[in-house]
Amino acid sequence: DGLIAQLGDDFIKLPSTAINVVDATGAGDAFYSGFYAGMLNGEQIDVSLLLGLQCSALALQVVGAQVPIRSYEQLRKQIGGLKA
């Protein structure tokens, strides 16, 4: 259903992407991996959250705890100019 993140008194709301869910194993870990990769690469928090959602969506579409290989640049390009 997407996510809601609270930063002090502010909230960031991001919708989920329509995907074919195959297996939820590892989806949370994949989210954190994308989120932290964004933060460590100097992205704003909204972009980092979008990267986390994208990694989680990739993990949900395959069997087992795995994420199809994508470079950071590919993931960042996929979200383009989207902002929360």
Side-chain angles (χ1 to χ4, degrees):
D1 293 333
L3 68 81
I4 299 173
Q6 183 175 358
L7 300 169
D9 292 332
D10 296 325
F11 290 88
I12 297 173
K13 297 177 184 179
L14 299 172
S16 60
T17 303
I19 58 168
N20 181 32
V21 176
V22 174
D23 185 1
T25 304
D29 292 333
F31 172 83
Y32 286 117
S33 296
F35 173 73
Y36 288 130
M39 295 301 291
L40 291 171
N41 277 286
E43 301 289 358
Q44 296 294 318
I45 194 160
D46 57 343
V47 172
S48 295
L49 290 167
L50 284 168
L51 289 165
L53 281 177
Q54 194 140 47
C55 287
S56 183
L58 289 170
L60 288 167
Q61 296 177 72
V62 296
V63 175
Q66 60 179 326
V67 175
I69 296 173
R70 299 283 193 280
S71 71
Y72 179 81
E73 291 77 21
Q74 285 176 311
L75 288 171
R76 183 63 177 87
K77 185 176 179 181
Q78 283 179 300
I79 65 169
L82 295 177
K83 295 288 182 179

Coordinates of all heavy atoms in Angstrom, one line a residue:
D1 N 0.8 -1.2 0.0 CA 0.0 0.0 0.0 C 0.8 1.3 0.0 O 0.3 2.3 0.3 CB -0.9 0.0 1.2 CG -2.0 -1.1 1.1 OD1 -2.3 -1.5 0.0 OD2 -2.5 -1.5 2.2
G2 N 2.1 1.1 -0.2 CA 3.0 2.3 -0.2 C 3.6 2.5 1.2 O 3.7 1.6 2.0
L3 N 4.0 3.7 1.5 CA 4.6 4.0 2.8 C 4.3 5.4 3.3 O 4.0 6.3 2.5 CB 6.1 3.8 2.8 CG 7.0 4.7 2.0 CD1 7.3 6.0 2.7 CD2 8.3 4.0 1.7
I4 N 4.4 5.6 4.6 CA 4.3 6.9 5.2 C 5.5 7.0 6.1 O 5.7 6.1 7.0 CB 3.0 7.0 6.0 CG1 1.8 6.9 5.1 CG2 3.0 8.4 6.8 CD1 0.5 6.9 5.9
A5 N 6.3 8.0 6.0 CA 7.5 8.3 6.8 C 7.2 9.6 7.6 O 6.8 10.6 7.0 CB 8.7 8.3 6.0
Q6 N 7.6 9.6 8.8 CA 7.4 10.8 9.6 C 8.8 11.4 9.9 O 9.7 10.7 10.4 CB 6.7 10.5 10.9 CG 6.5 11.8 11.8 CD 5.7 11.5 13.0 OE1 5.3 10.4 13.3 NE2 5.5 12.6 13.8
L7 N 8.9 12.7 9.6 CA 10.2 13.4 9.9 C 9.8 14.6 10.8 O 9.3 15.6 10.3 CB 10.8 13.9 8.6 CG 11.2 12.8 7.6 CD1 11.6 13.4 6.3 CD2 12.4 12.0 8.2
G8 N 9.9 14.5 12.1 CA 9.5 15.5 13.0 C 7.9 15.7 12.9 O 7.2 14.7 13.1
D9 N 7.5 16.8 12.4 CA 6.1 17.1 12.3 C 5.6 16.9 10.8 O 4.4 17.0 10.5 CB 5.7 18.5 12.7 CG 5.9 18.7 14.2 OD1 5.7 17.8 15.0 OD2 6.1 19.9 14.6
D10 N 6.5 16.5 9.9 CA 6.2 16.4 8.5 C 6.0 14.9 8.2 O 6.7 14.0 8.8 CB 7.3 16.9 7.6 CG 7.4 18.5 7.8 OD1 6.4 19.1 8.0 OD2 8.5 19.0 7.7
F11 N 5.2 14.6 7.2 CA 5.0 13.2 6.7 C 5.3 13.2 5.2 O 4.9 14.1 4.5 CB 3.5 12.8 7.0 CG 3.2 12.6 8.4 CD1 2.7 13.7 9.2 CD2 3.3 11.4 9.0 CE1 2.4 13.5 10.5 CE2 3.0 11.2 10.3 CZ 2.6 12.2 11.1
I12 N 5.9 12.1 4.8 CA 6.1 11.8 3.4 C 5.2 10.6 3.1 O 5.3 9.5 3.8 CB 7.6 11.5 3.1 CG1 8.4 12.7 3.4 CG2 7.7 11.0 1.7 CD1 9.9 12.4 3.3
K13 N 4.4 10.7 2.1 CA 3.5 9.6 1.7 C 3.8 9.2 0.3 O 3.9 10.1 -0.6 CB 2.0 10.0 1.8 CG 1.6 10.4 3.2 CD 0.2 10.8 3.2 CE -0.2 11.3 4.7 NZ -1.6 11.8 4.8
L14 N 4.1 8.0 0.1 CA 4.5 7.5 -1.3 C 3.6 6.3 -1.6 O 3.5 5.3 -0.8 CB 5.9 7.0 -1.3 CG 7.0 8.1 -1.1 CD1 8.4 7.5 -1.0 CD2 6.9 9.2 -2.1
P15 N 3.0 6.3 -2.8 CA 2.1 5.1 -3.1 C 2.9 3.9 -3.6 O 4.1 4.1 -4.0 CB 1.3 5.7 -4.3 CG 2.2 6.7 -4.9 CD 3.0 7.3 -3.8
S16 N 2.4 2.8 -3.5 CA 3.0 1.6 -4.0 C 2.9 1.5 -5.5 O 2.0 2.2 -6.1 CB 2.5 0.3 -3.4 OG 1.1 0.2 -3.6
T17 N 3.7 0.7 -6.2 CA 3.6 0.4 -7.6 C 2.8 -0.9 -7.8 O 3.0 -1.8 -7.1 CB 5.0 0.3 -8.2 OG1 5.7 1.5 -7.9 CG2 5.0 0.1 -9.7
A18 N 2.0 -0.9 -8.9 CA 1.3 -2.1 -9.2 C 2.2 -3.1 -9.8 O 2.9 -2.9 -10.8 CB 0.2 -1.8 -10.2
I19 N 2.4 -4.3 -9.1 CA 3.3 -5.3 -9.5 C 2.6 -6.7 -9.3 O 1.7 -6.8 -8.6 CB 4.7 -5.3 -8.8 CG1 4.5 -5.4 -7.3 CG2 5.5 -4.1 -9.1 CD1 5.7 -5.7 -6.5
N20 N 3.2 -7.7 -9.9 CA 2.7 -9.1 -9.7 C 3.6 -9.7 -8.6 O 4.8 -10.0 -8.8 CB 2.9 -9.9 -11.0 CG 2.4 -11.3 -10.8 OD1 1.5 -11.6 -10.0 ND2 3.0 -12.2 -11.5
V21 N 3.0 -9.8 -7.4 CA 3.8 -10.3 -6.2 C 3.9 -11.8 -6.3 O 2.9 -12.5 -6.4 CB 3.1 -9.9 -4.9 CG1 3.8 -10.5 -3.7 CG2 3.1 -8.4 -4.8
V22 N 5.1 -12.3 -6.3 CA 5.4 -13.7 -6.3 C 5.8 -14.3 -5.0 O 5.3 -15.3 -4.6 CB 6.6 -14.0 -7.4 CG1 7.0 -15.5 -7.3 CG2 6.2 -13.6 -8.7
D23 N 6.6 -13.5 -4.2 CA 7.1 -14.0 -2.9 C 7.5 -12.8 -2.1 O 8.3 -11.9 -2.6 CB 8.2 -15.0 -3.1 CG 8.8 -15.6 -1.9 OD1 8.2 -15.3 -0.8 OD2 9.7 -16.4 -1.9
A24 N 7.1 -12.7 -0.9 CA 7.5 -11.5 0.0 C 8.8 -11.7 0.7 O 9.2 -10.8 1.4 CB 6.4 -11.3 1.0
T25 N 9.4 -12.9 0.6 CA 10.7 -13.1 1.3 C 11.7 -12.1 0.9 O 12.0 -11.9 -0.3 CB 11.2 -14.5 1.0 OG1 10.2 -15.5 1.3 CG2 12.5 -14.8 1.8
G26 N 12.3 -11.4 1.9 CA 13.4 -10.5 1.7 C 12.9 -9.1 1.2 O 13.8 -8.2 1.0
A27 N 11.7 -8.8 1.1 CA 11.2 -7.5 0.6 C 11.6 -6.4 1.5 O 12.0 -5.3 1.1 CB 9.7 -7.5 0.3
G28 N 11.5 -6.6 2.8 CA 11.9 -5.6 3.8 C 13.3 -5.3 3.8 O 13.8 -4.1 3.8
D29 N 14.1 -6.4 3.7 CA 15.6 -6.2 3.6 C 16.0 -5.4 2.3 O 16.8 -4.6 2.3 CB 16.3 -7.5 3.6 CG 16.2 -8.2 5.0 OD1 16.1 -7.5 6.0 OD2 16.3 -9.4 5.0
A30 N 15.3 -5.7 1.2 CA 15.5 -5.1 0.0 C 15.2 -3.6 0.1 O 15.9 -2.7 -0.4 CB 14.7 -5.7 -1.2
F31 N 14.1 -3.3 0.8 CA 13.7 -1.9 1.0 C 14.8 -1.1 1.7 O 15.2 -0.1 1.3 CB 12.4 -1.8 1.8 CG 12.1 -0.3 2.2 CD1 11.5 0.5 1.3 CD2 12.5 0.2 3.4 CE1 11.3 1.9 1.6 CE2 12.3 1.5 3.7 CZ 11.6 2.3 2.8
Y32 N 15.3 -1.7 2.8 CA 16.3 -1.0 3.6 C 17.6 -0.8 2.8 O 18.3 0.2 2.9 CB 16.6 -1.7 4.9 CG 15.5 -1.5 5.9 CD1 14.7 -2.6 6.3 CD2 15.2 -0.3 6.4 CE1 13.7 -2.4 7.3 CE2 14.2 -0.1 7.3 CZ 13.4 -1.1 7.7 OH 12.4 -0.9 8.6
S33 N 17.9 -1.8 1.9 CA 19.1 -1.7 1.1 C 19.0 -0.6 0.1 O 19.9 0.2 0.0 CB 19.3 -3.0 0.3 OG 19.5 -4.1 1.2
G34 N 17.9 -0.4 -0.5 CA 17.7 0.7 -1.4 C 17.7 2.0 -0.7 O 18.3 3.0 -1.2
F35 N 17.0 2.1 0.4 CA 16.9 3.3 1.2 C 18.3 3.8 1.7 O 18.7 4.9 1.5 CB 16.0 3.1 2.4 CG 16.0 4.3 3.3 CD1 15.3 5.5 3.0 CD2 16.6 4.2 4.5 CE1 15.3 6.6 3.8 CE2 16.6 5.3 5.4 CZ 16.0 6.5 5.0
Y36 N 19.0 2.9 2.3 CA 20.4 3.2 2.8 C 21.3 3.5 1.6 O 22.2 4.4 1.8 CB 20.9 2.1 3.7 CG 20.2 2.0 5.0 CD1 19.7 0.8 5.5 CD2 20.0 3.2 5.8 CE1 19.1 0.8 6.7 CE2 19.3 3.1 7.0 CZ 18.9 1.9 7.4 OH 18.2 1.8 8.6
A37 N 21.2 2.8 0.5 CA 22.1 3.2 -0.6 C 21.8 4.6 -1.1 O 22.8 5.4 -1.4 CB 21.8 2.2 -1.8
G38 N 20.6 5.0 -1.1 CA 20.2 6.4 -1.5 C 20.8 7.4 -0.5 O 21.5 8.4 -0.8
M39 N 20.6 7.1 0.8 CA 21.1 8.0 1.9 C 22.6 8.1 1.8 O 23.2 9.2 1.9 CB 20.6 7.6 3.2 CG 19.1 7.7 3.4 SD 18.4 9.3 3.2 CE 19.1 10.2 4.7
L40 N 23.3 7.0 1.6 CA 24.8 7.0 1.6 C 25.3 7.6 0.3 O 26.5 8.1 0.3 CB 25.3 5.6 1.7 CG 25.1 4.9 3.1 CD1 25.5 3.5 3.1 CD2 25.9 5.7 4.2
N41 N 24.5 7.7 -0.7 CA 24.9 8.4 -1.9 C 24.5 9.9 -2.0 O 24.5 10.5 -3.0 CB 24.4 7.6 -3.2 CG 25.3 6.5 -3.5 OD1 26.4 6.7 -4.0 ND2 24.8 5.3 -3.2
G42 N 24.0 10.4 -0.9 CA 23.7 11.8 -0.8 C 22.3 12.2 -1.3 O 22.1 13.4 -1.5
E43 N 21.4 11.2 -1.5 CA 20.1 11.6 -2.0 C 19.3 12.2 -0.9 O 19.5 11.9 0.3 CB 19.4 10.3 -2.5 CG 20.1 9.6 -3.6 CD 20.1 10.3 -5.0 OE1 19.5 11.4 -5.1 OE2 20.7 9.8 -5.9
Q44 N 18.3 12.9 -1.3 CA 17.3 13.4 -0.3 C 16.5 12.2 0.2 O 16.4 11.2 -0.4 CB 16.3 14.5 -1.0 CG 17.0 15.7 -1.4 CD 17.6 16.5 -0.3 OE1 17.0 16.7 0.7 NE2 18.8 17.0 -0.5
I45 N 15.9 12.4 1.4 CA 15.2 11.3 2.0 C 14.0 10.8 1.1 O 13.8 9.6 1.1 CB 14.7 11.6 3.4 CG1 14.3 10.3 4.1 CG2 13.6 12.7 3.4 CD1 14.2 10.4 5.6
D46 N 13.3 11.7 0.4 CA 12.2 11.2 -0.4 C 12.7 10.3 -1.6 O 12.1 9.3 -1.9 CB 11.3 12.4 -0.9 CG 12.1 13.4 -1.7 OD1 13.4 13.5 -1.6 OD2 11.5 14.2 -2.4
V47 N 13.8 10.7 -2.1 CA 14.4 9.9 -3.2 C 14.9 8.6 -2.7 O 14.7 7.5 -3.3 CB 15.5 10.7 -3.9 CG1 16.3 9.8 -4.9 CG2 15.0 11.9 -4.6
S48 N 15.5 8.6 -1.5 CA 16.0 7.4 -0.9 C 14.8 6.4 -0.5 O 14.9 5.2 -0.7 CB 16.7 7.7 0.4 OG 17.9 8.4 0.1
L49 N 13.7 7.0 -0.1 CA 12.5 6.2 0.1 C 12.0 5.5 -1.2 O 11.6 4.4 -1.2 CB 11.4 7.0 0.8 CG 11.7 7.4 2.3 CD1 10.7 8.4 2.7 CD2 11.7 6.2 3.2
L50 N 12.0 6.3 -2.2 CA 11.6 5.8 -3.5 C 12.5 4.7 -4.0 O 12.1 3.7 -4.5 CB 11.5 6.9 -4.6 CG 10.3 7.8 -4.5 CD1 10.6 9.1 -5.4 CD2 9.1 7.1 -4.9
L51 N 13.8 4.8 -3.8 CA 14.7 3.8 -4.1 C 14.5 2.5 -3.3 O 14.5 1.4 -3.8 CB 16.2 4.2 -3.9 CG 16.7 5.3 -4.9 CD1 18.0 5.9 -4.4 CD2 16.9 4.6 -6.3
G52 N 14.1 2.7 -2.0 CA 13.8 1.5 -1.2 C 12.5 0.8 -1.7 O 12.5 -0.4 -1.8
L53 N 11.5 1.6 -2.1 CA 10.3 1.0 -2.6 C 10.6 0.2 -3.9 O 10.1 -0.8 -4.1 CB 9.3 2.1 -2.9 CG 8.5 2.6 -1.7 CD1 7.5 3.7 -2.1 CD2 7.7 1.5 -1.1
Q54 N 11.5 0.8 -4.7 CA 11.8 0.2 -6.0 C 12.5 -1.2 -5.8 O 12.2 -2.2 -6.4 CB 12.7 1.1 -6.8 CG 12.8 0.7 -8.2 CD 12.7 1.9 -9.1 OE1 13.4 2.8 -8.9 NE2 12.0 1.8 -10.2
C55 N 13.5 -1.2 -4.8 CA 14.2 -2.5 -4.5 C 13.2 -3.5 -3.9 O 13.3 -4.7 -4.3 CB 15.3 -2.2 -3.5 SG 16.7 -1.3 -4.3
S56 N 12.3 -3.0 -3.1 CA 11.3 -3.9 -2.5 C 10.4 -4.5 -3.6 O 10.1 -5.7 -3.6 CB 10.5 -3.2 -1.5 OG 9.6 -4.0 -0.8
A57 N 10.0 -3.7 -4.5 CA 9.2 -4.1 -5.6 C 9.9 -5.2 -6.5 O 9.3 -6.2 -6.9 CB 8.7 -3.0 -6.5
L58 N 11.2 -5.0 -6.7 CA 12.0 -6.0 -7.4 C 12.0 -7.3 -6.7 O 11.8 -8.4 -7.3 CB 13.4 -5.5 -7.7 CG 13.5 -4.3 -8.7 CD1 15.0 -3.8 -8.6 CD2 13.2 -4.8 -10.1
A59 N 12.2 -7.3 -5.4 CA 12.3 -8.5 -4.6 C 11.0 -9.2 -4.5 O 10.9 -10.5 -4.5 CB 12.7 -8.1 -3.1
L60 N 9.9 -8.5 -4.5 CA 8.5 -9.1 -4.5 C 8.2 -9.9 -5.7 O 7.3 -10.7 -5.7 CB 7.5 -8.0 -4.2 CG 7.4 -7.4 -2.8 CD1 6.6 -6.2 -2.8 CD2 6.9 -8.5 -1.8
Q61 N 8.9 -9.6 -6.8 CA 8.5 -10.2 -8.1 C 9.3 -11.5 -8.5 O 9.2 -12.1 -9.5 CB 8.7 -9.2 -9.2 CG 7.8 -8.0 -9.1 CD 8.1 -7.0 -10.1 OE1 7.7 -7.2 -11.3 NE2 8.6 -5.8 -9.7
V62 N 10.2 -12.0 -7.5 CA 10.9 -13.2 -7.7 C 10.8 -14.1 -6.5 O 10.4 -13.7 -5.4 CB 12.4 -12.9 -8.0 CG1 12.6 -12.1 -9.3 CG2 13.0 -12.1 -6.8
V63 N 11.1 -15.4 -6.7 CA 11.0 -16.3 -5.6 C 12.3 -16.3 -4.8 O 13.4 -16.3 -5.3 CB 10.8 -17.8 -6.1 CG1 10.9 -18.8 -5.0 CG2 9.5 -17.9 -6.9
G64 N 12.2 -16.2 -3.5 CA 13.3 -16.2 -2.6 C 13.8 -14.8 -2.2 O 13.3 -13.8 -2.8
A65 N 14.8 -14.8 -1.4 CA 15.3 -13.5 -0.9 C 16.4 -13.1 -1.8 O 17.6 -13.2 -1.6 CB 15.9 -13.7 0.5
Q66 N 16.0 -12.4 -2.9 CA 16.9 -11.9 -3.9 C 16.3 -10.7 -4.6 O 15.1 -10.5 -4.6 CB 17.2 -13.0 -5.0 CG 16.0 -13.5 -5.7 CD 16.3 -14.5 -6.7 OE1 17.4 -14.5 -7.4 NE2 15.4 -15.5 -6.9
V67 N 17.2 -9.9 -5.2 CA 16.7 -8.8 -6.0 C 17.5 -8.9 -7.3 O 18.7 -9.0 -7.3 CB 17.1 -7.4 -5.3 CG1 16.8 -6.2 -6.2 CG2 16.4 -7.3 -4.0
P68 N 16.7 -8.9 -8.4 CA 17.4 -8.9 -9.7 C 18.4 -7.8 -9.8 O 18.2 -6.7 -9.3 CB 16.3 -8.7 -10.7 CG 15.1 -9.2 -10.0 CD 15.3 -8.8 -8.5
I69 N 19.6 -8.1 -10.3 CA 20.7 -7.1 -10.3 C 20.3 -5.8 -11.1 O 19.9 -5.9 -12.2 CB 22.0 -7.7 -10.9 CG1 22.4 -8.9 -10.0 CG2 23.1 -6.7 -11.1 CD1 23.6 -9.6 -10.6
R70 N 20.5 -4.7 -10.4 CA 20.3 -3.4 -11.0 C 21.4 -2.5 -10.4 O 21.7 -2.6 -9.3 CB 19.0 -2.8 -10.7 CG 17.7 -3.5 -11.1 CD 17.5 -3.3 -12.6 NE 16.2 -3.7 -13.0 CZ 15.8 -5.0 -13.2 NH1 16.6 -6.0 -13.0 NH2 14.6 -5.3 -13.6
S71 N 22.0 -1.7 -11.3 CA 23.0 -0.8 -10.7 C 22.2 0.4 -10.0 O 21.1 0.6 -10.3 CB 23.9 -0.2 -11.8 OG 23.2 0.7 -12.6
Y72 N 22.9 1.0 -9.1 CA 22.4 2.2 -8.4 C 21.9 3.2 -9.5 O 20.8 3.8 -9.3 CB 23.4 2.8 -7.5 CG 22.9 4.0 -6.8 CD1 22.1 3.9 -5.7 CD2 23.2 5.3 -7.2 CE1 21.6 5.0 -5.0 CE2 22.7 6.4 -6.6 CZ 21.9 6.2 -5.5 OH 21.4 7.3 -4.8
E73 N 22.7 3.4 -10.5 CA 22.4 4.4 -11.5 C 21.1 4.0 -12.3 O 20.2 4.8 -12.6 CB 23.5 4.5 -12.5 CG 24.7 5.2 -12.0 CD 25.6 4.3 -11.1 OE1 25.5 3.0 -11.2 OE2 26.3 4.8 -10.3
Q74 N 20.9 2.7 -12.5 CA 19.7 2.2 -13.2 C 18.4 2.5 -12.3 O 17.4 3.0 -12.8 CB 19.7 0.7 -13.5 CG 20.6 0.4 -14.7 CD 20.7 -1.1 -14.8 OE1 20.9 -1.9 -13.9 NE2 20.5 -1.6 -16.1
L75 N 18.6 2.2 -11.0 CA 17.5 2.4 -10.1 C 17.1 3.9 -10.0 O 16.0 4.3 -10.0 CB 17.8 1.9 -8.7 CG 17.8 0.3 -8.6 CD1 18.3 -0.1 -7.2 CD2 16.4 -0.2 -8.8
R76 N 18.2 4.7 -9.9 CA 18.0 6.2 -9.8 C 17.3 6.7 -11.0 O 16.4 7.5 -11.0 CB 19.3 6.8 -9.5 CG 19.2 8.3 -9.3 CD 18.4 8.6 -8.0 NE 18.3 10.0 -7.7 CZ 17.4 10.8 -8.3 NH1 16.5 10.4 -9.1 NH2 17.4 12.1 -7.9
K77 N 17.7 6.2 -12.2 CA 17.2 6.7 -13.5 C 15.7 6.3 -13.6 O 14.9 7.0 -14.1 CB 18.0 6.1 -14.6 CG 17.5 6.6 -16.0 CD 18.4 6.0 -17.1 CE 17.9 6.5 -18.4 NZ 18.7 6.0 -19.5
Q78 N 15.3 5.1 -13.0 CA 14.0 4.6 -13.1 C 13.0 5.6 -12.3 O 11.9 5.8 -12.7 CB 13.8 3.2 -12.5 CG 14.3 2.2 -13.5 CD 14.2 0.8 -13.0 OE1 14.8 0.5 -11.9 NE2 13.4 0.0 -13.6
I79 N 13.5 6.1 -11.2 CA 12.6 7.0 -10.5 C 12.6 8.4 -11.1 O 11.8 9.3 -10.8 CB 12.8 7.1 -9.0 CG1 14.2 7.6 -8.6 CG2 12.6 5.7 -8.4 CD1 14.4 7.9 -7.2
G80 N 13.7 8.7 -11.9 CA 13.7 10.0 -12.6 C 13.6 11.2 -11.7 O 14.2 11.3 -10.6
G81 N 12.7 12.1 -12.0 CA 12.5 13.3 -11.3 C 11.4 13.2 -10.2 O 11.0 14.2 -9.7
L82 N 11.0 12.0 -10.0 CA 9.9 11.8 -9.0 C 10.3 12.3 -7.6 O 11.4 12.0 -7.2 CB 9.5 10.3 -8.9 CG 8.8 9.7 -10.1 CD1 8.6 8.2 -9.8 CD2 7.6 10.4 -10.5
K83 N 9.5 13.1 -7.0 CA 9.7 13.5 -5.7 C 8.4 13.3 -4.9 O 7.3 13.2 -5.4 CB 10.0 15.1 -5.7 CG 11.2 15.4 -6.4 CD 12.4 15.0 -5.5 CE 13.7 15.5 -6.2 NZ 14.9 15.1 -5.5
A84 N 8.6 13.1 -3.6 CA 7.5 12.8 -2.7 C 6.7 14.1 -2.5 O 7.1 15.2 -2.7 CB 8.0 12.3 -1.3

